[in-house]
C-alpha cells in the first residue's frame, strides 16, 4: 500500500524559502507524475507543479519563477522549494501521485503560515 | 483560482440521491475525459472517488458515480449516508498552461 508522508517547516517569515519534502513509501517514483497542490479557504485549490522520473516537469506559470520541484530517487522523495514567500503563500500544501487523469494518492498535508 | 464552477452546498436526507455539478469550458471539461472527483473531510487529505469522468477506483462505493455532458461533469451520490458528509471537488485537465483546473468545492450535508 503506497502512502505519502510530508514534512517541512510550517512557519516562515516573508522573503524566506518554503521547503517541503514528500516521502513515498511502499512504491516507486517511476511511472507517475508527482505533484504539489495547495489549498486556502479563500482561493481554494491551486496546482503548483509536477515532475516525473523521466525529468519532465510542469509548473504553474504564476509561480514558475519561484518554484523548484525535484525528485530524489535514492531516497524515494519529492521536494518543493518556493522562494520569496509572502502572506499570499500561506496555505495547506499537499503532495500527490498522479497522471493527467487523476491524483490517486495524497500526502497528509502541511500547513504553512507566512507571517512576520 | 477556481476555474470550474460547483455549487457551494448540496444537502439531502439519508437514502436520497444528490448530484454535484462541475462546470467548465471547452478548454477543459468539454474537451477532455480527464475529470476526477475527490472527497475531503475537514483537515484531511483528499480521497479520489472518480477518475476519467466515470471510473471508480478500487474500494470506492458504487453509490458514487460520475458523468459528463458538454462542459459540465457531475458526481452523483446515491443512498446518501452520514459518512458522505464532506467537501467534494472536481479537477480537470486543461489545454491552458496551468495544466489542471480545480472546482470551487461543494459541501455536502446529510440532513
Amino acid at each position: 500500500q503506497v502512502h505519502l508522508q510530508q514534512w517541512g517547516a510550517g512557519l516562515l517569515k516573508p522573503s524566506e524559502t518554503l521547503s517541503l519534502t514528500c516521502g513515498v513509501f511502499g512504491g516507486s517514483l517511476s511511472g507517475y507524475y508527482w505533484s504539489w497542490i495547495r489549498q486556502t479557504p479563500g482561493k481554494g485549490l491551486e496546482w503548483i507543479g509536477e515532475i516525473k522520473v523521466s525529468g519532465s516537469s510542469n509548473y504553474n506559470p504564476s509561480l514558475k519563477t519561484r518554484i523548484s520541484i525535484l525528485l530524489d530517487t535514492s531516497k524515494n522523495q519529492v521536494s518543493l522549494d518556493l522562494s520569496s514567500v509572502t502572506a499570499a503563500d500561506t496555505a495547506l500544501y499537499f503532495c500527490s501521485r498522479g497522471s493527467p487523469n487523476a491524483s490517486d494518492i495524497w500526502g497528509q498535508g502541511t500547513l504553512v503560515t507566512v507571517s512576520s | 483560482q477556481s476555474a470550474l464552477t460547483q455549487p457551494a452546498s448540496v444537502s439531502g436526507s439519508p437514502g436520497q440521491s444528490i448530484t454535484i455539478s462541475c462546470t467548465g469550458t471547452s478548454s477543459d471539461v468539454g474537451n477532455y475525459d480527464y475529470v476526477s472527483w475527490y472527497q475531503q473531510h475537514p483537515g484531511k487529505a483528499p480521497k479520489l472517488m472518480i477518475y476519467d469522468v466515470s471510473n471508480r477506483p478500487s474500494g470506492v462505493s458504487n453509490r458514487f458515480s460520475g458523468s459528463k455532458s458538454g462542459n459540465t461533469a457531475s458526481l452523483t451520490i446515491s443512498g446518501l449516508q452520514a459518512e458522505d458528509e464532506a467537501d467534494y471537488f472536481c479537477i480537470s485537465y486543461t489545454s491552458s498552461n496551468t495544466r489542471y483546473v480545480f472546482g470551487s468545492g461543494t459541501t455536502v450535508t446529510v440532513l
Side-chain angles (χ1 to χ4, degrees), chain A residues 1-113:
Chain A
Q1 187 88 355
V2 178
H3 72 275
L4 310 183
Q5 182 75 31
Q6 301 174 217
W7 61 90
L11 181 60
L12 298 171
K13 290 182 167 51
S15 80
E16 291 184 333
T17 295
L18 178 158
S19 292
L20 297 176
T21 302
C22 176
V24 179
F25 300 92
S28 170
L29 293 176
S30 299
Y32 296 95
Y33 275 104
W34 299 92
S35 302
W36 288 95
I37 295 164
R38 65 185 184 181
Q39 184 176 34
T40 61
K43 290 179 62 178
L45 289 150
E46 181 178 30
W47 176 71
I48 299 171
E50 63 186 3
I51 190 169
K52 286 187 78 170
V53 168
S54 64
S56 171
S57 62
N58 299 289
Y59 294 158
N60 188 320
S62 68
L63 301 170
K64 188 174 184 176
T65 60
R66 299 194 291 130
I67 297 172
S68 175
I69 297 178
L70 299 175
L71 292 175
D72 186 333
T73 54
S74 66
K75 295 182 179 179
N76 238 31
Q77 294 174 356
V78 186
S79 65
L80 167 69
D81 284 344
L82 177 65
S83 63
S84 305
V85 297
T86 69
D89 296 309
T90 293
L92 183 60
Y93 286 76
F94 291 99
C95 62
S96 72
R97 184 185 83 168
S99 57
N101 59 339
S103 287
D104 63 345
I105 300 175
W106 296 63
Q108 82 277 19
T110 302
L111 180 61
V112 177
T113 302

Side-chain angles (χ1 to χ4, degrees), chain B residues 30-50:
Chain B
N31 198 39
Y32 300 97
D33 285 337
Y34 289 159
V35 177
S36 50
W37 287 92
Y38 302 81
Q39 177 191 67
Q40 187 179 25
H41 289 101
K44 300 294 187 181
K47 175 186 177 183
L48 177 65
M49 306 302 285
I50 295 287

